[in-house]
Amino acid sequence: MKGRIIKVGLLMVLFGFIVEDATAQRRARRRTETPTGQQQQQENNNTTSPTYNAYGNIPIRVDSSGGGYNDSVIKKSLRPDHAFDKDFITDRTPLAYEHLRWDDALYAQKVWRELDLREKLNQTFRYKAEDDNGDQRFISMLLKAVQSGAVVAFSDDRFTTPLSGEENTAITAGGPRDTVAVRDIDDPNKIVEYVVTQQSFDPETVLKLRIKEEWVFDREASRLFVRILGIAPLKTLYFPNGQERGSTPMFWVYYPDLRPILAKYEVYNPKNMGMGRMTWEELFESRMFSSYITKSTLDNPSNSNIRQIVKDPILSLLEGENIKERIFNYEQDLWSY
């Protein structure tokens, strides 16, 4: 009987030790897990906080007042700025094109041209002035038409992919420029925040335009027609040392959609005689600009630019002049005297 009591007592003591050990382990686990969880929560708060940064957790603010291109604020004259009436300008519309039938197109060829705005004949494209309808530079007119939704910007010269609003904004975004430290007024050694300033898009970086056009000989009218299909501003790219690297199209605009807008803008005329009231639409239709051919569908089965075929820049210009002369001679050769 005594032996049985002793066994039961030993079992109870052993069970008590086991329970106490399990309780101690649970308490130790809580003590080790709780700080880790708090630390993880603190790390999550730090990484998700908008003010967390690598500068000692000092707030960083992006200055959205600058950057990009904004010509929406137009200061109109509060008094008549001309001695004659110009109210009819906003009502001008371009003349409709003559209809060309496919069956009458005896000859058709697409041509891509580039206009260097630094040339003397193209200086009117860079005329810096403001009028009641805004900045008078051609690129400013084009950007304002795209940003206002008056015309659609496309990513390719076949006008297959329209650009979204975010892509239009990114086209003219200058990008981050610098990070400036804002210090406390009372304590100059204390940094309150860092401000990221933005670069503004400079229209002067657009030094070239690219034009896509088609030459068609209509046998019903017995004459050669040229129709501009699209216009693309070319943004100049530079190497880090400041040397010009090349240019790339910013977007493409379907020219027939742009004609009604260009008819409301006048071209700067330095002589101010005779054609002082020419519009941009009339300038393009009269082809009063200097350009050189960079690509053509004539004898070009690989659909390559002239510079891809002819590496020498001088020879590529001569090849463009050769294409221009062949188009001119085609019409002349149809006639016999």
Side-chain angles (χ1 to χ4, degrees):
M1 186 69 182
K2 292 182 180 180
R4 185 178 300 176
I5 294 174
I6 293 173
K7 290 181 180 180
V8 172
L10 291 175
L11 290 175
M12 293 178 64
V13 172
L14 180 62
F15 180 76
F17 282 131
I18 294 174
V19 172
E20 185 178 358
D21 183 70
T23 304
Q25 289 182 358
R26 285 196 297 269
R27 291 175 180 175
R29 190 179 300 112
R30 291 194 192 99
R31 286 195 301 268
T32 57
E33 289 180 355
T34 302
T36 305
Q38 292 177 353
Q39 182 179 4
Q40 183 67 29
Q41 182 67 26
Q42 183 67 25
E43 291 178 357
N44 293 336
N45 293 337
N46 290 338
T47 55
T48 58
S49 176
T51 60
Y52 176 76
N53 54 75
Y55 297 97
N57 208 24
I58 298 177
I60 295 179
R61 176 172 57 88
V62 178
D63 185 9
S64 59
S65 60
Y69 178 78
N70 185 11
D71 190 36
S72 59
V73 180
I74 300 176
K75 296 181 179 180
K76 295 186 177 181
S77 177
L78 301 179
R79 297 293 185 273
D81 195 32
H82 299 277
F84 44 85
D85 184 16
K86 293 186 65 176
D87 294 339
F88 68 96
I89 291 180
T90 56
D91 299 329
R92 288 186 298 195
T93 56
L95 296 175
Y97 280 140
E98 182 179 347
H99 178 65
L100 301 179
R101 297 177 63 248
W102 177 80
D103 293 336
D104 294 330
L106 184 62
Y107 168 85
Q109 178 185 173
K110 287 187 174 66
V111 172
W112 285 258
R113 297 175 178 269
E114 285 191 6
L115 284 69
D116 194 332
L117 306 185
R118 292 166 292 188
E119 295 187 19
K120 186 175 182 180
L121 293 177
N122 297 331
Q123 287 297 306
T124 54
F125 286 85
R126 305 179 68 188
Y127 173 60
K128 298 180 182 179
E130 290 189 1
D131 206 337
D132 286 349
N133 52 8
D135 194 342
Q136 297 301 295
R137 282 177 290 193
F138 180 79
I139 180 61
S140 300
M141 306 177 200
L142 199 58
L143 290 176
K144 186 170 66 175
V146 171
Q147 293 180 347
S148 64
V151 294
V152 179
F154 295 88
S155 62
D156 59 332
D157 58 0
R158 291 185 55 245
F159 316 107
T160 60
T161 308
L163 298 180
S164 62
E166 293 78 8
E167 291 173 327
N168 286 333
T169 304
I171 286 173
T172 57
R177 181 177 58 187
D178 197 6
T179 302
V180 181
V182 179
R183 300 183 180 274
D184 192 351
I185 299 177
D186 300 328
D187 186 5
N189 296 324
K190 180 180 179 182
I191 299 177
V192 180
E193 63 177 356
Y194 288 95
V195 178
V196 180
T197 58
Q198 302 291 312
Q199 287 182 347
S200 298
F201 175 76
D202 186 7
E204 291 297 312
T205 58
V206 179
L207 301 177
K208 293 182 179 180
L209 297 176
R210 184 170 296 170
I211 291 180
K212 178 185 178 182
E213 60 188 16
E214 187 167 17
W215 291 80
V216 179
F217 183 83
D218 184 67
R219 58 184 174 184
E220 192 270 336
S222 295
R223 56 165 294 193
L224 193 65
F225 291 89
V226 57
R227 298 287 170 82
I228 299 177
L229 301 178
I231 297 179
L234 303 182
K235 188 175 183 179
T236 306
L237 305 177
Y238 297 92
F239 287 107
N241 59 1
Q243 183 180 0
E244 185 175 337
R245 184 177 64 181
S247 55
T248 180
M250 297 173 58
F251 54 85
W252 281 90
V253 172
Y254 188 57
Y255 176 74
D257 294 341
L258 190 64
R259 289 182 68 208
I261 299 175
L262 296 181
K264 295 177 174 59
Y265 286 88
E266 294 183 349
V267 180
Y268 168 70
N269 183 7
K271 303 299 182 182
N272 198 21
M273 294 184 298
M275 300 184 332
R277 291 181 292 275
M278 172 181 280
T279 65
W280 280 102
E281 191 270 338
E282 293 171 341
L283 180 139
F284 280 105
E285 296 301 326
S286 302
R287 307 190 64 79
M288 298 184 64
F289 53 81
S290 176
S291 64
Y292 54 91
I293 295 177
T294 59
K295 182 181 175 182
S296 171
T297 56
L298 181 65
D299 296 334
N300 187 13
S302 61
N303 194 30
S304 303
N305 294 329
I306 296 178
R307 287 296 301 273
Q308 295 175 335
I309 302 174
V310 183
K311 302 300 182 181
D312 187 87
I314 302 299
L315 294 180
S316 63
L317 289 176
L318 294 177
E319 179 61 25
E321 293 296 322
N322 182 35
I323 295 173
K324 187 187 303 183
E325 185 177 358
R326 292 172 67 177
I327 295 174
F328 175 78
N329 290 337
Y330 179 85
E331 182 181 21
Q332 301 300 317
D333 294 341
L334 292 176
W335 305 94
S336 59
Y337 299 94

